Amino acid sequence: MQQLDGKIPEGPLVEKWDQHRMEMKLINPSNRRRFNIIVVGTGLAGASASASLAEMGYNVKTFCIQDTPRRAHSIAAQGGINAAKNYCNDGDSVWRLFYDTVKGGDFRSREANVYRLAQVSNNIIDQCVAQGVPFAREYGGLLANRSFGGAQVSRTFYARGQTGQQLLLGAYGALSRQIAAGHVKLFPRHEMLDLVVVNDRARGIIARNLINGELEAHAADAVLLSTGGYSNVFYLSTNAISCNASAIWQAYKKGALFANPCFTQIHPTSLPHVSGHQTKLTLMSESLRNDGRVWVPKNAGDQRPANDIPENERDYYLEEKYPSFGNLVPRDVASRNAKQQCDVGKGVGPTGRAVYLDFMEAIRRDGREVIAQKYGNLFDMYRNIIDDDPYETPMMIYPAAHFTMGGLWVDYNLMSTIPGLFVLGEANFSDHGANRLGASALMQGLADGYFVIPYTVAGFLGIEGNSDVSDDHAAFKESIQAVTNRIEKLLAINGKRTAEDIHRELGQIMEDQVGLARDEPGLKKAIEQIRALREEFWQNAKVVGPANTYRLNLQKAGRVADFLELGELMAIDALERTESCGCHLREEYQTDEGEALRDDQNFSYVSAWAYAGDDARPEFYREPLTFENVELTQRSYK
């Protein structure tokens, strides 16, 4: 078993990042014009990195699969973004944000990375305010805050229920300025299909023009992947349908290690799955748990309408079980408890797989107008989808696949195991451990793009210099041929099942065996089922050509082929980790009270996997986690 070096700087935790910045190489502003950087993805991490690096003078090429960067999935984030401003004077600090994040991740994340995230969080708010992001404000004009799960302070900045959209528009404005100035060349409707590596350094990518099918070679001195997470491996998730894992998966196949793939977050506040025809699930922001109370009927099988069930026959199970945090326990805790209530027959709605989120008390206390000001667009979304009025009757919610804490392994500088390949935001594994606290995803994306990568990519380029490989190098030609062969292989299957149908079956396997709860027999079964389904895909998938057009089913087929391989790796990783931590609940490892039972002696590490061939078991690496500043304790939110 080989061990990985995260390249954590020496010195006290609170000084590591500042000292590291002072020690890294710098590049003279006039010399930055000599460097070309590729950024794949235009969500918060990608857009902020592209804008920042171009502003500094680098030549940037930015790629996105959408028709505009504004359609990146960051736009769907609703509830808010954390920062340790302590505007509410309730005891918050950088240290408390750091501790809450490490604890929320069930002590499976790097202390140094998490502290840096907390440290730069305040700069993010200042940056976004300067861009004109319309954060909510108190009556006196100060920025407003609200609470999120896993914290006992109010530190979440928000713009009603559309915070991600507003933050992305701020980053998009900065990016557009650089596009207009000619410092960023934007490639919309382009999908990265391969990473080109020469002499153990990332040299560029192969991208497919999704409109005409043309394969393009793009060389650069560094490549930044900011392509988001992989929750769509579950088929039904809160992610946009176009979200996929293909960019990071191709990097994995070229030598980048994949870390903690089994750490996938199941969000407790999604709309329930009610039909076999659904292709995605819709998120209701965690911010709703500030004023909404979660409950189920006390008696199993009670099918009365919610408003007909009197107060003394309602079970506010989170408030009862976790009095200190109540409805604002972390996502993994809330999700597990919702499943437990439904498993014993107390679930509500037509399927029995839902719980209530009730705002009646808040409306009586504060008035409908106040609640509408806070959550109006979320209530409208619920009413439009469910055809029920949450001002009059409780919402129905149930856990759904949402965020992925796993991703490509990166060191402290956000560089993967392939020199010159950096990974930002949700595409890397580095900050959230086994469970991400709410309102931390936007924080990580913008921290990586605005305040980390400008230093660390300069530190790399300042030492390694320009790449000596151009896009006419033989490696690019070989990569284009490999991509062409794969596309032709997909088109030649000519079977009877659509990629969508196979993806749906994969999602069911993942949800049943690698979802909210896992056990050894189920994981072994999942590995066998996924392998059989992958064989079925390559023998019986129906992919319609030709390849030189805007062919959605070809895009889908390539992404599903990658999901089939990734799903197997997730099950292997979950089987290997014989403990429960955060969102990884192995049913064999629980406390007497049904909480996740960690094994710090044997599993206090990052698991990382190296590609060893399509039919070979991946090679296992680990990065030991050391905790010098926080005490490893059994998480308690009671």
Side-chain angles (χ1 to χ4, degrees), residues 139-308:
Y139 178 77
L142 296 177
L143 298 183
N145 288 128
R146 57 190 178 199
S147 299
F148 257 60
Q152 291 182 301
V153 297
S154 294
R155 63 162 67 103
T156 303
F157 295 78
Y158 62 97
R160 296 188 76 187
Q162 48 186 249
T163 312
Q165 178 181 8
Q166 298 303 328
L167 291 172
L168 186 60
L169 288 173
Y172 173 69
L175 173 60
S176 296
R177 178 174 181 271
Q178 296 304 317
I179 294 172
H183 301 150
V184 173
K185 186 173 182 181
L186 179 66
F187 294 83
R189 295 292 197 194
H190 279 67
E191 181 172 19
M192 172 185 158
L193 293 183
D194 202 10
L195 176 74
V196 179
V197 179
V198 179
N199 295 331
D200 296 324
R201 177 174 169 179
R203 308 287 181 161
I205 67 170
I206 303 302
R208 179 172 179 264
N209 183 320
L210 297 179
I211 302 298
N212 60 25
E214 182 179 346
L215 298 179
E216 302 173 3
H218 296 273
D221 301 303
V223 177
L224 280 56
L225 298 186
S226 311
T227 51
Y230 49 89
S231 274
N232 274 351
V233 70
F234 290 90
Y235 186 74
L236 287 176
S237 82
T238 65
N239 286 196
I241 292 174
S242 62
C243 292
N244 65 86
S246 290
I248 58 173
W249 195 248
Q250 300 316 312
Y252 163 73
K253 286 191 163 184
K254 285 298 181 74
L257 268 59
F258 207 117
N260 295 338
C262 78
F263 286 171
T264 57
Q265 183 175 79
I266 310 298
H267 196 293
T269 321
S270 168
L271 297 188
H273 177 207
V274 296
S275 168
H277 299 291
Q278 282 180 255
T279 55
K280 76 175 301 293
L281 297 172
T282 303
L283 182 68
M284 290 286 104
S285 169
E286 182 176 317
S287 64
L288 294 170
R289 290 196 276 149
N290 273 278
D291 289 297
R293 302 179 70 190
V294 179
W295 65 274
V296 292
K298 285 187 175 179
N299 299 317
D302 190 338
Q303 297 298 314
R304 288 177 293 173
N307 291 342
D308 290 347

Side-chain angles (χ1 to χ4, degrees), residues 330-350:
R331 292 173 174 178
D332 60 319
V333 177
S335 294
R336 275 200 301 276
N337 278 270
K339 180 180 184 295
Q340 290 167 2
Q341 296 297 322
C342 294
D343 286 347
V344 298
K346 296 164 71 174
V348 302

